[in-house]
Amino acid sequence: MKYLLFIYLLFVLFACSSPKGVPYELPATLPEVSRATVKTNCDKGKILYEINCAKCHTTKEKRKLVIPDFTATQLSGYVLRTQNPEHFENLSDRGLTNVEMTQIIMYLLYKKKNIKK
């Protein structure tokens, strides 16, 4: 019984201390001072994406939600498309500010890319 408890405690300790992985792929040239700010904006962008974009732009593959990988060019063009009134109406009831849109784009630009098998 003691060994079982010991193994269980080791498992819990390992599970809690093991890194969950880095959620963002930030450029190596990004200064360390800027990394915290970029990560904070990406975290906010992720939440905004889930509220405003995920229902139309997220797919399900093998019971896992997959957020598409966008290129920087696609994302810059997307800002223009969101100005389209029809598309804008499908966003949340309050719309998005320029700062919020920038945070979503930062999240999509720096999120870990999907692994292609």
Side-chain angles (χ1 to χ4, degrees):
M1 181 69 172
K2 287 182 185 180
Y3 293 110
L4 210 57
L5 181 60
F6 179 72
I7 291 171
Y8 176 75
L9 289 174
L10 279 177
F11 175 76
V12 170
L13 180 64
F14 178 75
C16 292
S17 65
S18 64
K20 300 290 185 207
V22 180
Y24 308 116
E25 296 174 349
L26 302 178
T29 56
L30 186 66
E32 196 61 39
V33 175
S34 302
R35 288 181 179 273
T37 303
V38 171
K39 287 179 185 177
T40 299
N41 280 311
C42 286
D43 291 341
K44 291 177 183 178
K46 181 179 190 291
I47 294 166
L48 290 165
Y49 176 87
E50 290 169 355
I51 293 169
N52 296 285
C53 313
K55 68 180 178 183
C56 296
H57 296 285
T58 301
T59 60
K60 195 169 192 177
E61 294 177 14
K62 297 181 184 176
R63 299 189 321 202
K64 181 181 176 190
L65 295 177
V66 177
I67 298 169
D69 293 332
F70 293 97
T71 65
T73 304
Q74 289 171 322
L75 290 172
S76 65
Y78 193 74
V79 174
L80 297 174
R81 287 196 299 279
T82 59
Q83 304 307 315
N84 177 335
E86 183 179 316
H87 187 256
F88 191 78
E89 288 172 10
N90 289 329
L91 300 174
S92 71
D93 293 337
R94 63 178 181 81
L96 290 170
T97 66
N98 288 335
V99 171
E100 291 170 329
M101 192 66 203
T102 300
Q103 290 169 330
I104 292 171
I105 289 172
M106 286 179 75
Y107 164 66
L108 292 172
L109 186 61
Y110 295 127
K111 77 172 188 67
K112 266 201 156 180
K113 303 302 178 224
N114 300 312
I115 299 171
K116 306 286 189 221
K117 291 183 181 180

